[in-house]
Every structure is written in C-alpha cells, then in structure tokens.
Amino acid sequence: MPRSPKQLEEHRKQKKKLIMDVALELFAKGGFHATSISQITRKAGISKGLIYNYFSSKQDMLEEITETAYNEVYKNFDLDKDGVLTNEEFIFFIKETFRIVRENMSFWQLYFALMVQPGIQESFSEKYQEKSKPILNQIYAFLQKNGSTDPEGDLFVLSSLVEGAILYLVVAPDIFPSGKMEDKILQACFRLISTPEAPPKN
Amino acid sequence: MPRSPKQLEEHRKQKKKLIMDVALELFAKGGFHATSISQITRKAGISKGLIYNYFSSKQDMLEEITETAYNEVYKNFDLDKDGVLTNEEFIFFIKETFRIVRENMSFWQLYFALMVQPGIQESFSEKYQEKSKPILNQIYAFLQKNGSTDPEGDLFVLSSLVEGAILYLVVAPDIFPSGKMEDKILQACFRLISTPEAPPKN
DNA sequence: TGTTTATGACTGAACGTTCGGTCAAAAGTA
DNA sequence: TACTTTTGACCGAACGTTCAGTCATAAACA
C-alpha cells in the first residue's frame, strides 16, 4: 500500500501498535479468555484476518503485549545504578512507581490477572521477576544501608505495602484519592524502614 | 416412596458440595472462562447433565461458590462486637486473617481474579465490600482509639499492607515463609498505627 | 505487472446447555 | 416375603452457538 520500504515498515509498526493497544485494553477489562478476536477487530476497525498478518495466534499476541508493556514500564526506572539509593532517590522511586501505574492502568490490571492465574501465560511470573530483580536489589541495598537487620524480610514487607496499594489503585481508581494516598504510602515506607532507635526526620 | 426427604436432602447437599469444591479449585487455578464444564465433571466423576440438576448455569455456579465461600470466611471473624478492639484482639485478628487465607487458598486466588476482572461476576466487588464493612469499621475505631489523626488514610495503608501480603501468600505460597512473614507484617502494622510521639512497647 | 495489505465468508473444534431416558432404592401392597 | 410402583439422581448424545484461525479474493500501491 504505502511507498518505500521505510514507510512500509513504519506503517506496519503503527498498525501493530494499534492492535496491541486495543487488545491490551480489552484483555485488561474483560480478561484474556473472555475477549474474542472479533471484539478486538471490531474496536480496532480492522478485519479478522489482518490480526494474523501481525500475530501468529491470540496467545502470541498476549505475549507480545506483555513483553512490550513491561519493557515500556521498566525503561522508565533508570535511576543511576552505580551507588546505593539516597533517600531522595527512594522517594523518587516510589513516586515514579505510582506515576507509571497511573499511566498504564490497563497493563497493571492485566498484570494482576496474569499473576493470579499463571495458566493464562505460562512464563509471565518468571519473566516479570527477572525484569524486576535489579530494582528489588537496589531497594535491598537501600534497606541495608538504612540499618535493617533483616533486609530480606523488610523488602518483603515494603513490597507488600506498595503492591497492595497498587492493587487498590488499579481495582478502585475512583475511590483512591491518589495524591493523598501516595503521600501516605510514602510516609508508611519511611516508618517501616527507619530503625526503631532513630526515627527519620522526614 | 423412595428415600426419605431427610436422606435425600443430605445426599444432595454432599453432592453439591463436592461439585462446588472441585469447581472452586479449577476456577481458581485456571480461571472461570478457561475452565469447562467437562473438566469439572471429569474431575468430580459425574456426568455433564448432573451439573444442571444442581445449578442453573455455569455463572450461577460461580455465584453460589463465592457466596458460600465468603460466608464461610466471615463467620470465623466473630470478635466480640461490643467494644473497641484491644491490642490482643487486633493481633488475633491479623493472625486469624492469615490462617483463614492459608486454609482457603483457592477461594482467595479466585477472589483476586474476580476483584481484578469485575466483568466475570458483576456484583462481586460490591457484595464483598458489604460483607467486610463491619470488620473495617472495627479497625477504623481501633485506629482512632490508638490516636490516629487520619483513621481513614491509615486504614487504607493498613489494608494495602495486609492485602499485599495476602496476594504474595496466594501467588507464591512456597516462597512465602509464612510463619516469619506473618510476624513481620504484624510488627509492621504496629509500627504504622503507633503515634510517632509514643512508639509501642510491642 | 508484481507485491503486499486487507477483507470477511468460511471451517472445524469446543463450548454451555438440554433432554429423553435409565436405574437403584424406598414405599406400598399382598 | 415378594412383587409392583414411584421417585429423583444420574447419564451422555445431541443441540445451537461461539470461537480461533484460514483462505480465496480484492484493493492499493510500486
């Protein structure tokens, strides 16, 4: 249809993105199995067959969507890796987390669905753990630096708190007064990481 | 006539429970839409038709399962209602929560799936909120008693922490060293509810 | 003309659901 | 006791429907 090979590739890229965006939204809202190819094509304004010019199967589509989405997510987490996190960087990290979740609600909805029901995408949990490991390691080091005697356990507690809050944000975004709650979670984090002897001045 | 009505009813009750147990497990593991009636009947050792002597539809089955399961869950939460929670009762409450989750893993897996994807069971989230409201109210009062200046916000933070931990417990039960982590969560709760001026002796 | 995107009617498999019918067991009858 | 009647749990083939995926064809460029 278009002209040069360059333009061609560009066009394919855009079409693929359109399909993936629509599919992600429908998968997130209704679930993978409950969403039909026809629904996707209807909403994307394309034909059924075209899907299979871009993806080899519905399953493949899901995998490409999750792969792309969490690459998108994690490329935003480039705190300088060399040193251990400062307090400011930790605050930034938490705020970034909430910002990213708020801007990719559909993905995070799908994320929880795939976490809870691993049968839908076999390797999702493992892949995700792998991707998030460097970040968790930084938090781990941050906890050690802050005098934690059980950084593993404290990391778990912190993760629970943040993941729980994200779950609320995703499940009930209109109940969640996000500005205030972000601050509350941040405060709670500092309460949890500070050693009992020396409470933080923050 | 044939069997006595008493015997009959008892038998029906048991059969229904068998079907519901099997279905709950499969729904939890594989998801509602991905689980077929045939799978359920195969695992329960019954015929396809029998399902429809006990339930009017697959959807109805899901609704009866969730209704029964969370009645089961909440009947165990009978702390004496009159007064405000003591510290000991609060500790008991958290420990009970984890115990109940550990003993009903399948339900809680399904719970998260239905929370994240409300399309599967329309009224689930609302029904669940209604059931859990009295408990949350008790915690709310407990937070007020403990000097919280923002019990609403603190309740949210506490809920996030506990729900996040439960999510971990459900998603990765073998990674979660449950004994230790329960204690950690409990400690974290007390850190969060204590006023900054007067840290708890616990 | 040759190449590639795009279409949508089509297919076979699998799904939830239905229904005519079977059968073990209890109650009635003698 | 032995035979008949009556019940409802139970079965599984078959139904209509929906699904993911296919393919012959057309349209739009080069």
Side-chain angles (χ1 to χ4, degrees):
Chain A
M1 226 156 107
R3 288 145 235 183
S4 70
K6 277 269 164 73
Q7 283 177 314
L8 218 95
E9 199 181 342
E10 184 56 29
H11 178 260
R12 275 190 74 83
K13 216 171 176 178
Q14 285 179 8
K15 255 288 152 65
K16 193 165 185 177
K17 183 169 165 20
L18 165 71
I19 297 172
M20 284 168 75
D21 287 346
V22 169
L24 169 57
E25 202 190 317
L26 290 177
F27 286 164
K29 200 173 292 176
F32 176 71
H33 285 110
T35 302
S36 70
I37 298 287
S38 298
Q39 275 176 269
I40 298 169
T41 59
R42 216 175 302 136
K43 182 150 192 181
I46 58 165
S47 71
K48 222 177 176 189
L50 193 58
I51 292 266
Y52 293 90
N53 278 345
Y54 291 93
F55 307 95
S56 66
S57 69
K58 194 187 178 188
Q59 190 70 39
D60 170 55
M61 209 163 114
L62 174 65
E63 262 144 45
E64 287 214 43
I65 286 171
T66 53
E67 181 72 24
T68 306
Y70 60 46
N71 283 342
E72 199 67 25
V73 162
Y74 279 115
K75 82 169 184 210
N76 289 320
F77 268 128
D78 261 355
L79 339 148
D80 300 302
K81 305 269 301 179
D82 308 348
V84 178
L85 262 51
T86 63
N87 270 17
E88 286 69 32
E89 280 175 325
F90 179 77
I91 294 172
F92 175 74
F93 165 77
I94 297 288
K95 292 200 167 178
E96 267 297 278
T97 301
F98 279 103
R99 189 188 62 75
I100 285 170
V101 171
R102 233 180 293 110
E103 287 185 0
N104 301 276
M105 288 287 239
S106 285
F107 170 69
W108 290 100
Q109 205 167 342
L110 188 58
Y111 162 84
F112 283 113
L114 295 176
M115 275 293 172
V116 172
Q117 243 128 54
I120 299 172
Q121 186 181 331
E122 219 56 61
S123 56
F124 181 78
S125 177
E126 286 83 354
K127 267 205 212 167
Y128 201 89
Q129 271 180 352
E130 198 184 302
K131 298 252 182 193
S132 60
K133 195 171 253 175
I135 293 172
L136 291 177
N137 282 343
Q138 280 222 332
I139 308 286
Y140 185 89
F142 176 72
L143 289 170
Q144 280 188 311
K145 189 197 78 175
N146 271 52
S148 165
T149 53
D150 176 20
E152 222 153 63
D154 290 339
L155 179 57
F156 167 79
V157 171
L158 226 60
S159 301
S160 296
L161 175 62
V162 174
E163 197 108 348
I166 293 176
L167 182 59
Y168 271 105
L169 177 55
V170 166
V171 167
D174 34 313
I175 288 175
F176 191 98
S178 59
K180 180 191 164 194
M181 284 316 164
E182 246 180 76
D183 290 344
K184 277 250 143 195
I185 296 292
L186 204 46
Q187 278 173 35
C189 285
F190 274 103
R191 266 198 192 219
L192 290 174
I193 65 185
S194 65
T195 52
E197 297 79 28
K201 47 225 93 162
N202 234 4
Chain B
M1 299 226 196
R3 274 147 286 190
S4 74
K6 277 271 163 71
Q7 282 178 311
L8 221 83
E9 199 182 342
E10 183 57 30
H11 179 260
R12 275 188 74 83
K13 216 171 176 178
Q14 285 178 8
K15 252 294 152 63
K16 193 165 186 177
K17 184 172 163 19
L18 165 72
I19 297 172
M20 284 167 76
D21 286 347
V22 168
L24 169 57
E25 202 189 317
L26 290 177
F27 286 164
K29 200 173 294 180
F32 176 70
H33 285 111
T35 302
S36 70
I37 298 288
S38 299
Q39 275 177 269
I40 298 169
T41 59
R42 218 174 300 136
K43 183 151 190 179
I46 59 166
S47 72
K48 246 178 166 181
L50 190 60
I51 292 268
Y52 293 89
N53 275 345
Y54 290 93
F55 308 94
S56 66
S57 68
K58 193 186 177 189
Q59 191 70 39
D60 170 55
M61 207 163 115
L62 174 65
E63 262 145 44
E64 287 213 44
I65 286 171
T66 53
E67 180 72 24
T68 305
Y70 60 47
N71 282 343
E72 199 67 26
V73 162
Y74 279 113
K75 80 169 185 209
N76 288 321
F77 268 128
D78 260 355
L79 340 147
D80 300 302
K81 306 269 301 181
D82 309 348
V84 179
L85 262 53
T86 62
N87 270 15
E88 287 69 31
E89 281 175 324
F90 179 78
I91 294 172
F92 175 75
F93 165 77
I94 297 288
K95 292 198 168 179
E96 268 296 279
T97 301
F98 279 103
R99 190 188 61 76
I100 285 170
V101 171
R102 233 180 293 110
E103 286 184 1
N104 301 276
M105 287 286 239
S106 285
F107 169 70
W108 289 101
Q109 205 168 342
L110 188 57
Y111 162 85
F112 284 113
L114 296 176
M115 275 292 172
V116 173
Q117 244 127 55
I120 300 173
Q121 187 181 332
E122 220 56 60
S123 56
F124 181 78
S125 177
E126 287 82 354
K127 266 205 212 168
Y128 201 90
Q129 272 180 350
E130 198 185 302
K131 299 253 180 192
S132 60
K133 197 173 251 175
I135 293 172
L136 291 177
N137 283 342
Q138 280 221 333
I139 309 286
Y140 185 91
F142 176 72
L143 288 170
Q144 280 187 312
K145 191 197 77 174
N146 272 52
S148 166
T149 53
D150 176 20
E152 223 153 62
D154 291 339
L155 179 57
F156 167 79
V157 172
L158 226 60
S159 301
S160 296
L161 175 63
V162 173
E163 197 107 349
I166 292 175
L167 182 59
Y168 273 104
L169 177 55
V170 166
V171 167
D174 33 314
I175 289 174
F176 191 99
S178 59
K180 179 191 164 193
M181 284 316 163
E182 246 181 76
D183 290 344
K184 276 250 143 196
I185 296 292
L186 203 46
Q187 280 172 35
C189 286
F190 274 102
R191 259 192 197 229
L192 291 174
I193 65 185
S194 65
T195 53
E197 296 79 26
K201 46 224 92 154
N202 237 1

Short mmCIF file of all heavy atoms in Angstrom, two decimals, chain A residues 15 45-53, chain C residues 5-8, chain D residues 22-26:
data_model
loop_
_atom_site.label_atom_id
_atom_site.label_comp_id
_atom_site.label_asym_id
_atom_site.label_seq_id
_atom_site.Cartn_x
_atom_site.Cartn_y
_atom_site.Cartn_z
N LYS A 15 0.30 0.03 12.76
CA LYS A 15 -0.87 -0.86 12.77
C LYS A 15 -0.78 -1.86 13.92
O LYS A 15 -1.74 -2.11 14.65
CB LYS A 15 -0.96 -1.62 11.44
CG LYS A 15 -2.06 -1.13 10.48
CD LYS A 15 -3.45 -1.49 10.92
CE LYS A 15 -4.52 -0.53 10.45
NZ LYS A 15 -4.70 -0.50 9.01
N GLY A 45 -11.26 -1.51 14.27
CA GLY A 45 -11.70 -1.13 12.93
C GLY A 45 -10.96 -1.86 11.83
O GLY A 45 -10.72 -1.31 10.75
N ILE A 46 -10.61 -3.09 12.07
CA ILE A 46 -9.92 -3.88 11.05
C ILE A 46 -10.63 -5.22 10.88
O ILE A 46 -11.58 -5.52 11.59
CB ILE A 46 -8.45 -4.15 11.44
CG1 ILE A 46 -8.41 -4.88 12.79
CG2 ILE A 46 -7.66 -2.86 11.46
CD1 ILE A 46 -7.08 -5.50 13.09
N SER A 47 -10.13 -6.01 9.94
CA SER A 47 -10.76 -7.31 9.69
C SER A 47 -10.10 -8.38 10.54
O SER A 47 -9.02 -8.19 11.10
CB SER A 47 -10.62 -7.69 8.23
OG SER A 47 -9.27 -8.02 7.95
N LYS A 48 -10.78 -9.51 10.60
CA LYS A 48 -10.30 -10.61 11.40
C LYS A 48 -8.96 -11.13 10.90
O LYS A 48 -8.03 -11.38 11.67
CB LYS A 48 -11.34 -11.73 11.37
CG LYS A 48 -11.56 -12.39 12.69
CD LYS A 48 -12.64 -13.42 12.57
CE LYS A 48 -12.82 -14.18 13.84
NZ LYS A 48 -13.74 -15.33 13.67
N GLY A 49 -8.91 -11.31 9.60
CA GLY A 49 -7.71 -11.91 9.02
C GLY A 49 -6.45 -11.10 9.25
O GLY A 49 -5.36 -11.65 9.39
N LEU A 50 -6.61 -9.80 9.31
CA LEU A 50 -5.44 -8.92 9.43
C LEU A 50 -4.64 -9.18 10.71
O LEU A 50 -3.42 -9.05 10.73
CB LEU A 50 -5.87 -7.46 9.36
CG LEU A 50 -4.73 -6.45 9.16
CD1 LEU A 50 -3.96 -6.76 7.91
CD2 LEU A 50 -5.27 -5.04 9.13
N ILE A 51 -5.37 -9.53 11.73
CA ILE A 51 -4.71 -9.87 13.00
C ILE A 51 -3.59 -10.87 12.76
O ILE A 51 -2.50 -10.76 13.31
CB ILE A 51 -5.74 -10.50 13.99
CG1 ILE A 51 -6.76 -9.45 14.44
CG2 ILE A 51 -5.02 -11.13 15.18
CD1 ILE A 51 -6.44 -8.75 15.72
N TYR A 52 -3.87 -11.84 11.88
CA TYR A 52 -2.92 -12.93 11.69
C TYR A 52 -1.82 -12.58 10.69
O TYR A 52 -0.97 -13.40 10.38
CB TYR A 52 -3.69 -14.20 11.30
CG TYR A 52 -4.55 -14.67 12.45
CD1 TYR A 52 -5.87 -14.22 12.59
CD2 TYR A 52 -4.03 -15.48 13.43
CE1 TYR A 52 -6.64 -14.62 13.67
CE2 TYR A 52 -4.78 -15.88 14.51
CZ TYR A 52 -6.09 -15.44 14.62
OH TYR A 52 -6.85 -15.82 15.70
N ASN A 53 -1.86 -11.36 10.17
CA ASN A 53 -0.70 -10.85 9.47
C ASN A 53 0.32 -10.26 10.44
O ASN A 53 1.47 -10.04 10.08
CB ASN A 53 -1.12 -9.77 8.46
CG ASN A 53 -1.61 -10.38 7.17
OD1 ASN A 53 -1.39 -11.56 6.93
ND2 ASN A 53 -2.29 -9.58 6.37
P DT C 5 2.57 -6.34 3.87
OP1 DT C 5 3.47 -5.82 4.90
OP2 DT C 5 2.29 -7.79 3.76
"O5'" DT C 5 1.18 -5.57 3.94
"C5'" DT C 5 1.11 -4.19 3.62
"C4'" DT C 5 -0.35 -3.78 3.48
"O4'" DT C 5 -0.94 -4.49 2.36
"C3'" DT C 5 -1.20 -4.10 4.70
"O3'" DT C 5 -2.06 -3.00 4.95
"C2'" DT C 5 -1.97 -5.36 4.28
"C1'" DT C 5 -2.12 -5.14 2.77
N1 DT C 5 -2.25 -6.39 1.96
C2 DT C 5 -3.30 -6.50 1.07
O2 DT C 5 -4.14 -5.64 0.91
N3 DT C 5 -3.31 -7.68 0.35
C4 DT C 5 -2.41 -8.72 0.44
O4 DT C 5 -2.53 -9.72 -0.25
C5 DT C 5 -1.35 -8.53 1.40
C7 DT C 5 -0.33 -9.60 1.59
C6 DT C 5 -1.31 -7.39 2.12
P DA C 6 -2.97 -2.98 6.22
OP1 DA C 6 -3.28 -1.57 6.54
OP2 DA C 6 -2.36 -3.86 7.23
"O5'" DA C 6 -4.30 -3.65 5.70
"C5'" DA C 6 -5.11 -2.95 4.74
"C4'" DA C 6 -6.25 -3.85 4.33
"O4'" DA C 6 -5.74 -4.99 3.61
"C3'" DA C 6 -7.06 -4.43 5.51
"O3'" DA C 6 -8.34 -3.82 5.52
"C2'" DA C 6 -7.11 -5.94 5.22
"C1'" DA C 6 -6.66 -6.04 3.78
N9 DA C 6 -5.96 -7.29 3.45
C8 DA C 6 -4.76 -7.74 3.96
N7 DA C 6 -4.37 -8.89 3.46
C5 DA C 6 -5.38 -9.23 2.56
C6 DA C 6 -5.56 -10.34 1.71
N6 DA C 6 -4.69 -11.34 1.64
N1 DA C 6 -6.67 -10.36 0.95
C2 DA C 6 -7.55 -9.34 1.04
N3 DA C 6 -7.48 -8.24 1.81
C4 DA C 6 -6.37 -8.24 2.54
P DT C 7 -9.40 -4.19 6.61
OP1 DT C 7 -10.25 -3.00 6.83
OP2 DT C 7 -8.72 -4.81 7.75
"O5'" DT C 7 -10.27 -5.29 5.88
"C5'" DT C 7 -10.90 -4.95 4.64
"C4'" DT C 7 -11.48 -6.19 4.02
"O4'" DT C 7 -10.44 -7.15 3.77
"C3'" DT C 7 -12.50 -6.92 4.89
"O3'" DT C 7 -13.79 -6.69 4.37
"C2'" DT C 7 -12.09 -8.40 4.82
"C1'" DT C 7 -11.05 -8.42 3.72
N1 DT C 7 -9.96 -9.43 3.88
C2 DT C 7 -9.97 -10.55 3.08
O2 DT C 7 -10.83 -10.77 2.24
N3 DT C 7 -8.92 -11.41 3.29
C4 DT C 7 -7.89 -11.25 4.20
O4 DT C 7 -7.00 -12.09 4.30
C5 DT C 7 -7.94 -10.06 5.01
C7 DT C 7 -6.88 -9.79 6.02
C6 DT C 7 -8.96 -9.21 4.82
P DG C 8 -15.01 -6.44 5.36
OP1 DG C 8 -15.92 -5.46 4.73
OP2 DG C 8 -14.48 -6.21 6.72
"O5'" DG C 8 -15.69 -7.87 5.32
"C5'" DG C 8 -15.98 -8.48 4.07
"C4'" DG C 8 -16.16 -9.97 4.27
"O4'" DG C 8 -14.87 -10.60 4.41
"C3'" DG C 8 -16.95 -10.37 5.53
"O3'" DG C 8 -17.65 -11.57 5.24
"C2'" DG C 8 -15.83 -10.67 6.52
"C1'" DG C 8 -14.89 -11.39 5.58
N9 DG C 8 -13.52 -11.53 6.06
C8 DG C 8 -12.91 -10.84 7.07
N7 DG C 8 -11.67 -11.19 7.25
C5 DG C 8 -11.46 -12.19 6.31
C6 DG C 8 -10.30 -12.95 6.03
O6 DG C 8 -9.19 -12.90 6.57
N1 DG C 8 -10.52 -13.86 4.99
C2 DG C 8 -11.71 -13.99 4.31
N2 DG C 8 -11.73 -14.91 3.35
N3 DG C 8 -12.79 -13.28 4.55
C4 DG C 8 -12.59 -12.40 5.56
P DT D 22 -4.39 -20.61 11.03
OP1 DT D 22 -3.44 -21.71 10.83
OP2 DT D 22 -3.92 -19.22 11.15
"O5'" DT D 22 -5.46 -20.68 9.86
"C5'" DT D 22 -6.19 -21.87 9.68
"C4'" DT D 22 -6.92 -21.84 8.34
"O4'" DT D 22 -7.98 -20.84 8.40
"C3'" DT D 22 -6.06 -21.47 7.14
"O3'" DT D 22 -6.41 -22.35 6.08
"C2'" DT D 22 -6.43 -20.01 6.85
"C1'" DT D 22 -7.89 -19.99 7.27
N1 DT D 22 -8.46 -18.69 7.70
C2 DT D 22 -9.63 -18.25 7.11
O2 DT D 22 -10.21 -18.86 6.22
N3 DT D 22 -10.10 -17.05 7.59
C4 DT D 22 -9.53 -16.28 8.58
O4 DT D 22 -10.06 -15.23 8.92
C5 DT D 22 -8.33 -16.80 9.16
C7 DT D 22 -7.64 -16.03 10.24
C6 DT D 22 -7.85 -17.97 8.70
P DC D 23 -5.42 -22.50 4.81
OP1 DC D 23 -5.33 -23.94 4.52
OP2 DC D 23 -4.20 -21.69 5.02
"O5'" DC D 23 -6.27 -21.82 3.64
"C5'" DC D 23 -7.68 -21.92 3.64
"C4'" DC D 23 -8.26 -20.97 2.61
"O4'" DC D 23 -8.64 -19.73 3.26
"C3'" DC D 23 -7.28 -20.59 1.50
"O3'" DC D 23 -7.99 -20.48 0.28
"C2'" DC D 23 -6.77 -19.22 1.94
"C1'" DC D 23 -8.04 -18.65 2.59
N1 DC D 23 -7.77 -17.60 3.59
C2 DC D 23 -8.77 -16.63 3.85
O2 DC D 23 -9.83 -16.70 3.22
N3 DC D 23 -8.53 -15.68 4.77
C4 DC D 23 -7.36 -15.66 5.42
N4 DC D 23 -7.17 -14.70 6.32
C5 DC D 23 -6.34 -16.63 5.17
C6 DC D 23 -6.59 -17.57 4.26
P DA D 24 -7.30 -21.06 -1.09
OP1 DA D 24 -7.48 -22.51 -1.07
OP2 DA D 24 -5.96 -20.46 -1.27
"O5'" DA D 24 -8.27 -20.43 -2.20
"C5'" DA D 24 -9.68 -20.57 -2.06
"C4'" DA D 24 -10.37 -19.25 -2.36
"O4'" DA D 24 -10.07 -18.29 -1.32
"C3'" DA D 24 -9.95 -18.60 -3.68
"O3'" DA D 24 -11.11 -18.12 -4.35
"C2'" DA D 24 -9.02 -17.47 -3.25
"C1'" DA D 24 -9.61 -17.09 -1.90
N9 DA D 24 -8.64 -16.51 -0.96
C8 DA D 24 -7.36 -16.93 -0.71
N7 DA D 24 -6.73 -16.22 0.20
C5 DA D 24 -7.66 -15.27 0.58
C6 DA D 24 -7.63 -14.22 1.52
N6 DA D 24 -6.55 -13.94 2.27
N1 DA D 24 -8.74 -13.47 1.66
C2 DA D 24 -9.82 -13.74 0.91
N3 DA D 24 -9.98 -14.70 0.00
C4 DA D 24 -8.85 -15.44 -0.12
P DT D 25 -11.03 -17.45 -5.82
OP1 DT D 25 -12.25 -17.82 -6.55
OP2 DT D 25 -9.68 -17.73 -6.37
"O5'" DT D 25 -11.11 -15.91 -5.47
"C5'" DT D 25 -12.16 -15.43 -4.63
"C4'" DT D 25 -11.86 -14.00 -4.23
"O4'" DT D 25 -10.78 -13.95 -3.29
"C3'" DT D 25 -11.44 -13.09 -5.40
"O3'" DT D 25 -12.45 -12.11 -5.58
"C2'" DT D 25 -10.12 -12.49 -4.95
"C1'" DT D 25 -10.16 -12.71 -3.44
N1 DT D 25 -8.84 -12.75 -2.75
C2 DT D 25 -8.59 -11.85 -1.75
O2 DT D 25 -9.39 -11.02 -1.39
N3 DT D 25 -7.34 -11.97 -1.17
C4 DT D 25 -6.36 -12.88 -1.51
O4 DT D 25 -5.28 -12.89 -0.92
C5 DT D 25 -6.69 -13.79 -2.57
C7 DT D 25 -5.69 -14.82 -3.02
C6 DT D 25 -7.90 -13.69 -3.14
P DA D 26 -12.33 -11.06 -6.81
OP1 DA D 26 -13.68 -10.90 -7.39
OP2 DA D 26 -11.18 -11.44 -7.66
"O5'" DA D 26 -11.96 -9.72 -6.03
"C5'" DA D 26 -12.71 -9.37 -4.87
"C4'" DA D 26 -12.07 -8.16 -4.20
"O4'" DA D 26 -10.85 -8.57 -3.54
"C3'" DA D 26 -11.68 -7.05 -5.18
"O3'" DA D 26 -12.10 -5.82 -4.62
"C2'" DA D 26 -10.15 -7.16 -5.26
"C1'" DA D 26 -9.81 -7.68 -3.88
N9 DA D 26 -8.56 -8.43 -3.77
C8 DA D 26 -8.18 -9.50 -4.50
N7 DA D 26 -6.99 -9.98 -4.19
C5 DA D 26 -6.58 -9.16 -3.16
C6 DA D 26 -5.39 -9.12 -2.38
N6 DA D 26 -4.38 -9.99 -2.54
N1 DA D 26 -5.28 -8.16 -1.45
C2 DA D 26 -6.29 -7.30 -1.30
N3 DA D 26 -7.45 -7.23 -1.96
C4 DA D 26 -7.52 -8.20 -2.89
#
